[in-house]
Amino acid sequence: MNTPNKITLARILLIPVIIFFYLATFIPGGKFIAASLFVIACLTDFLDGYLARKNNQVTDLGKFFDSIADKILIMTGLVLIIGVPVRYEYLVIGRPIQFVSVCIIIMLAREFIISALRQVAAAKGKVLAAEMSGKIKATLQFVTIALYLFYAGFVQETTLLIGDEAKLANLIINIILLVFLSLTTILTVTSGINYIMKNLHVFKETKSSENTTSFQSAPTIEAQTLPETSSKKANQASKNTHLKTQNPLANYDPLIPQALDIFLEIGYASTTMLQRKLSVGYARASKIVDQMEELSLISSLEGKTRKILVTKEEFEKKYN
């Protein structure tokens, strides 16, 4: 297990520790400790990705661990906010409770929907590249949850919450927290919709042989049926050859459609950018770029980048 994967595993192991300190009301400053550990866990999310890309240590195990760790960490924070509200006389974290509950349900639903989409893509041998909006969304989620956890510690630990000034301060802080939560929810929804719309191709059914049932009930081979059987085999071979010619990308890397989407989004073709966005090794990213140049999807190297020679519509018309 390489260093980035060890860091990711450490983030997963921190999650039960965060839960323990947040719920352990008998420990002085427990919620402050939980909030601090949550921030440390969030920082490891950026650290392991940086090290993996820098040292070319991106692995399938790392991508699996990282995705699982992020989702569990975010879900843990959201559930703690709504499931264990902190109360101190008139001070309550997470008010109004109905609004906070709806926001959290929306964010949790989004995570499950995107996970399901990626599972469908994986079943078809496709890898969906992460979007920048999704990374911004995750960062804002981390910040919002951390603010709620720290404020929960403040409410629980302080003994100075007396008088009208404390009520006013609590009101202002709750409004600030609700603004962060609202912005996070909006970005969660918009980034999720954008991600789904960009990857609708995942739901397209792939064309296969039309008469697959012919293999399930082969006729009994007799002397007089041999010419007919040979004819059927010849027809089937002809169909298979026709299907191969219908898919000119059959002998190329399956990530080419996703690579084109990335290049169209950033406005130019770059091997390094492709490596980072698709989380693949440099050798494979370079091979994809070479194949795209061979297909006349992008230009040859001009300076440090390559130009994109087709639109999304032209590509789909030609290769779908």
Side-chain angles (χ1 to χ4, degrees):
M1 182 178 291
N2 57 35
T3 301
N5 290 348
K6 290 179 181 178
I7 295 174
T8 305
L9 181 60
R11 182 161 74 257
I12 295 176
L13 296 177
L14 269 178
I15 293 172
V17 181
I18 293 171
I19 297 173
F20 170 77
F21 278 105
Y22 190 87
L23 299 180
T25 55
F26 56 88
I27 298 179
K31 286 182 171 53
F32 280 125
I33 297 174
S36 301
L37 291 175
F38 181 85
V39 172
I40 293 173
C42 294
L43 293 176
T44 64
D45 179 41
F46 300 99
L47 179 61
D48 59 10
Y50 170 76
L51 292 177
R53 291 188 296 270
K54 179 182 178 182
N55 301 324
N56 196 22
Q57 294 181 318
V58 178
T59 62
D60 291 336
L61 177 63
K63 288 186 283 187
F64 171 77
F65 265 159
D66 187 65
S67 177
I68 292 297
D70 291 348
K71 284 177 173 51
I72 296 178
L73 184 62
I74 289 173
M75 291 181 182
T76 297
L78 294 175
V79 171
L80 288 177
I81 290 171
I82 199 67
V84 191
V86 177
R87 299 175 181 272
Y88 182 84
E89 295 182 359
Y90 49 79
L91 299 180
V92 182
I93 303 299
R95 296 184 65 182
I97 195 68
Q98 295 86 351
F99 177 77
V100 177
S101 299
V102 170
C103 290
I104 290 177
I105 290 171
I106 290 173
M107 284 189 275
L108 292 177
R110 190 265 192 195
E111 299 300 332
F112 285 119
I113 292 171
I114 298 303
S115 295
L117 176 63
R118 285 174 174 161
Q119 287 179 351
V120 173
K124 296 185 177 183
K126 298 179 180 180
V127 178
L128 301 186
E131 297 287 337
M132 182 57 65
S133 60
K135 296 179 180 179
I136 296 173
K137 176 270 304 180
T139 301
L140 193 54
Q141 283 180 333
F142 287 149
V143 171
T144 300
I145 293 171
L147 289 176
Y148 269 97
L149 296 182
F150 273 115
Y151 187 51
F154 171 76
V155 171
Q156 183 187 53
E157 300 300 330
T158 186
T159 58
L160 302 176
L161 302 176
I162 302 174
D164 295 336
E165 293 81 4
K167 292 182 180 180
L168 179 59
N170 178 67
L171 176 63
I172 293 173
I173 294 174
N174 268 282
I175 290 175
I176 294 173
L177 292 176
L178 288 174
V179 169
F180 270 93
L181 185 63
S182 301
L183 292 175
T184 303
T185 305
I186 293 171
L187 186 56
T188 297
V189 173
T190 55
S191 65
I193 294 174
N194 181 61
Y195 194 79
I196 293 172
M197 295 303 294
K198 281 194 173 184
N199 295 287
L200 284 177
H201 59 86
V202 170
F203 300 106
K204 290 184 179 179
E205 296 296 332
T206 55
K207 294 182 179 180
S208 58
S209 299
E210 295 178 358
N211 298 321
T212 55
T213 55
S214 61
F215 295 99
Q216 299 174 358
S217 56
T220 304
I221 300 178
E222 297 179 358
Q224 65 271 24
T225 62
L226 285 176
E228 182 181 355
T229 304
S230 300
S231 177
K232 286 184 177 180
K233 288 182 177 180
N235 290 336
Q236 186 62 46
S238 176
K239 285 182 180 179
N240 291 338
T241 303
H242 179 64
L243 286 172
K244 288 182 179 179
T245 58
Q246 281 185 325
N247 184 12
L249 293 180
N251 297 323
Y252 292 89
D253 195 292
L255 294 181
I256 285 179
Q258 291 94 299
L260 181 62
D261 288 339
I262 294 171
F263 292 159
L264 288 171
E265 180 182 356
I266 63 178
Y268 61 89
S270 165
T271 302
T272 305
M273 180 64 70
L274 189 64
Q275 178 190 9
R276 183 170 65 84
K277 287 280 188 177
L278 290 180
S279 298
V280 297
Y282 185 83
R284 186 177 182 185
S286 179
K287 181 181 178 181
I288 293 173
V289 170
D290 291 340
Q291 290 180 350
M292 294 179 72
E293 180 182 346
E294 179 183 338
L295 292 167
S296 298
L297 301 179
I298 59 177
S299 69
S300 57
L301 191 62
E302 299 177 3
K304 294 184 178 180
T305 60
R306 303 167 185 261
K307 293 182 180 179
I308 305 168
L309 303 178
V310 296
T311 65
K312 180 68 173 178
E313 292 74 19
E314 292 172 341
F315 176 81
E316 292 181 345
K317 183 177 180 181
K318 185 174 182 180
Y319 294 108
N320 285 349

